Amino acid sequence: MALLVQKFGGTSVGSVERIQAVAQRIERCRDGGHDVVVVVSAMGHTTDELTRLADAITPNPVQREMDMLLASGEQISISLLAMALHARGVAAVSMTGPQVGISTESTHGRARILSIRTDRIRNRLNEGLVVVVAGFQGSTTSSDGINEITTLGRGGSDTSAVALAAALAADACEIYTDVPGVLSTDPRKVPDAQLMSTISCDEMLELASLGASVLHPRAVEIARNYGVNLVVRSSWSDAPGTRLTSSTARAISQSGLELGSPVDGAEELNGQAVIALSHIPDQPGIAARLFESLSEADINVDLIIQATHEGNSNDITFTVAEPDLEAARRVSQSVLDNLGGKLAAEAGLTKLSIGGAGIMGRPGIAASLFNCLSHQGINLRLIATSEVKVSCVIDSASDAKARQAVQEAFDLEESQIRINPTDNGSGEPEVRGVALDRDQVQLSVRHVPDRPGTAAALCSALADNSISLDAIVQSERQHSDGSRDITFILRKEDRARADVALAPLLAQWPGAALEDGEAIARVSAVGAGMPATPGTAGRMFRALADAGINIGLIATSEIRTSCVVAEDAGVQALQVVHAGFGLGGKERHTAQGTPSPHDPD
Ligand code: ADP
Ligand code: ASP
Ligand code: MG
């Protein structure tokens, strides 16, 4: 007999018939002798509809009231599902998040789970009941002792389910949804997307945070941290779906189930070199040609960063291992010979990274890294960020100083610092999945002073206002006054607050100004084998170039490559990149249920 946590999403409980079908499935599981805790989302598009009602009343609803409103959606589905179970003769009880004892932080609208009481659920399981828990919600105690309802953020029922599985030490957590599992991309946009039987939590964390909405990224983070046995499968069939794999498992942190120590370790990679091409024309095909030529010369490129600048020309910067520098310089020069532009190269660099699933959604972590380095007077040559890793390239002469500062800032043991690690995912597929995100905007700060600490100051100012930035790109080129530009992308919903957050900083930097970029979509490819496979980036850029799609910004981290393109080219970009990596197949996996009215497709 096993203890299972089963989560059913909005489409799976979208009608009376579907709720009855879910009840039937749960009954079968009970008949198999298992204890079952069920987590459900609100029916169909209830959460969208409630949000629209609020919008119709005010453009700026108070977050506490939004949580009161949105949490009601899940209360409807838990009670109806419990009734459907009763109708089949299955003993069951519904419980809200606060009734279970899911305690969260006080941040309304995106609260993290601190702890979950297990005794209340266990008592009911011992009485032979199926416990039906409302997803997406918890509670916090206000300063005057009142129990306040909080929600975890859109898509958060997955997180409720995995957190319950971790707290209860369940044998498995099964996420039932309207697709057969995790596919190589969104089947609503690419009908020949293929099902994966397994995917690592690291890869899924990247995909989920880059737009693959099939799992809430925080659910993957919890599964990875606590070694939860997590499966995504279809509500309409008995097919096994996709199993998530993770190599780590630790005890639940005392400081909070979703908190813990955000940084797991640091890594230093010595002997790095940077090549910077600047003032190259902003037109499709150049990045493809450059990175294809490098791959033909068998040169493995690590980080790649590209941003468009004033006057519509591009800078592309990338890193290679020092022994490859001369060859890489020759290849780059030959590409430049036909185009114009400048080339600069520099060896003697080190890549320093911090990693940990808890970096996600906590903008203060990247800011602390940049701050601790800037306090040592260390200049950041290049920055690459992902949801689970922040890397920067610095002068090797500062290695020891930087390592010590990072060790102290993040309270790391000697054993958590790896120098020149050799495991790079060889043997893994270079790309497992691609994702599209249309919720980001691009912002540039022009004329930023060129001195240590500017990126840190920018990140800190945003982090202090709870704004995460994704790709951050410092320009290679300098203006005539020696200043540079920094470009970054952030969530659309944070754009207005960024003005307020950055105003004091801009006031200190004479001549600095914010500039909005065009409407963007971000297409990303993710694969654990990417670091070990030369030419992945070139293949992605080629697929886009052949479709005539111009790349506005490139940002990579270890296991992902992201390209920002014009918003209206987003879906086509996703399709050609998916096809370009040969991820399509014969089977068609259309999602069941009608698309959300908010889904732009
Ligand atoms: P639920 O209501 O069950 O939580 P969601 O709508 O949140 O369902 O997530 C399932 C949807 O995620 C699918 O219908 C699909 O359109 C979308 N999706 C995006 N990327 C992927 C992917 N890589 N694999 C599977 N589904 C994906
Ligand atoms: N009902 C919430 C939403 O639509 C939570 C969830 O479905 O996961 O975002
Ligand atoms: Mg969901």
Side-chain angles (χ1 to χ4, degrees), residues 443 445 456-469 488 490 494-509 514:
L443 199 58
V445 192
L458 199 88
C459 289
S460 298
L462 294 169
D464 290 347
N465 289 274
S466 304
I467 301 173
S468 291
L469 42 83
F488 51 93
L490 71 167
D494 291 335
R495 171 64 192 90
R497 284 189 301 125
D499 277 336
V500 181
L502 294 175
L505 208 53
L506 292 181
Q508 289 169 28
W509 293 339
L514 275 184

Side-chain angles (χ1 to χ4, degrees), residues 36 52 58 85 131 154 158 187 201 217 233 257 261 291-292 312 330 340 381 410 425 520 526 543:
V36 190
R52 261 200 308 280
T58 164
L85 286 163
V131 185
R154 294 304 305 269
D158 299 333
C201 281
R233 49 195 296 207
L257 195 147
S261 145
F291 290 99
E292 279 173 344
N312 266 356
R330 267 197 309 278
R381 189 70 181 72
F410 298 104
I520 56 165
V526 173

Side-chain angles (χ1 to χ4, degrees), residues 81-402:
L81 180 57
M83 289 177 206
L85 286 163
H86 298 162
R88 304 190 71 83
V90 179
V93 61
S94 64
M95 295 178 86
T96 63
Q99 283 176 328
V100 166
I102 299 180
S103 301
T104 72
E105 295 173 322
S106 56
T107 338
H108 285 288
R110 54 188 164 85
R112 284 186 177 252
I113 298 174
L114 297 174
S115 63
I116 299 185
R117 287 184 64 148
T118 51
D119 54 327
R120 295 175 179 170
I121 291 188
R122 284 211 182 278
N123 289 343
R124 283 163 181 73
L125 290 174
N126 291 340
E127 288 163 17
L129 298 170
V130 169
V131 185
V132 184
V133 180
F136 172 62
Q137 55 177 257
S139 67
T140 183
T141 310
S142 69
S143 51
D144 50 359
I146 295 176
N147 213 13
E148 292 285 347
I149 290 190
T150 50
T151 65
L152 311 183
R154 294 304 305 269
S157 294
D158 299 333
T159 294
S160 308
V162 181
L164 275 162
L168 292 163
D171 296 287
C173 179
E174 301 173 333
I175 305 286
Y176 287 90
T177 184
D178 58 2
V179 281
V182 179
L183 305 176
S184 49
T185 192
D186 187 342
R188 289 187 202 273
K189 302 189 176 76
V190 185
D192 68 347
Q194 295 301 293
L195 178 67
M196 308 180 205
S197 55
T198 61
I199 182 170
S200 70
C201 281
D202 284 347
E203 290 168 313
M204 191 63 227
L205 201 50
E206 295 276 3
L207 277 176
S209 60
L210 294 164
S213 53
V214 64
L215 274 178
H216 198 229
R218 280 162 50 195
V220 186
E221 179 188 359
I222 298 171
R224 175 180 127 139
N225 282 351
Y226 304 119
V228 175
N229 183 2
L230 180 61
V231 177
V232 181
R233 49 195 296 207
S234 165
S235 286
W236 336 112
S237 84
D238 288 327
T242 305
R243 194 167 48 81
L244 275 87
T245 56
S246 103
S247 51
T248 50
R250 61 173 190 234
I252 287 185
S253 148
Q254 292 307 309
S255 57
L257 195 147
E258 273 201 82
L259 297 182
S261 145
V263 176
D264 281 345
E267 242 172 56
E268 192 181 296
L269 195 60
N270 305 118
Q272 298 297 295
V274 164
I275 295 195
L277 311 184
S278 62
H279 299 86
I280 46 184
D282 181 28
Q283 65 197 42
I286 292 175
R289 204 176 327 148
L290 173 64
F291 290 99
E292 279 173 344
S293 309
L294 289 163
S295 144
E296 277 157 23
D298 219 13
I299 297 166
N300 200 0
V301 173
D302 183 14
L303 303 177
I304 304 172
I305 278 172
Q306 178 212 289
T308 311
H309 292 281
E310 283 163 329
N312 266 356
S313 67
N314 274 335
D315 292 356
I316 300 182
T317 310
F318 58 92
T319 63
V320 293
E322 259 170 4
D324 287 335
L325 177 61
E326 276 320 308
R329 188 210 297 266
R330 267 197 309 278
V331 172
S332 307
Q333 191 57 57
S334 68
V335 174
L336 273 193
D337 282 346
N338 306 318
L339 296 170
K342 296 183 190 157
L343 185 150
E346 189 181 340
L349 301 171
T350 290
K351 180 172 82 166
L352 184 70
S353 316
I354 52 168
I359 292 173
M360 185 172 63
R362 293 193 192 99
I365 307 285
S368 319
L369 172 68
F370 304 153
N371 270 323
C372 86
L373 296 174
S374 88
H375 286 152
Q376 302 294 324
I378 299 171
N379 212 359
L380 309 180
R381 189 70 181 72
L382 221 78
I383 298 172
T385 52
S386 90
E387 292 296 326
V388 289
K389 201 158 198 169
V390 184
S391 305
C392 42
V393 175
I394 58 172
D395 195 326
S396 293
S398 312
D399 275 2
K401 210 163 53 165

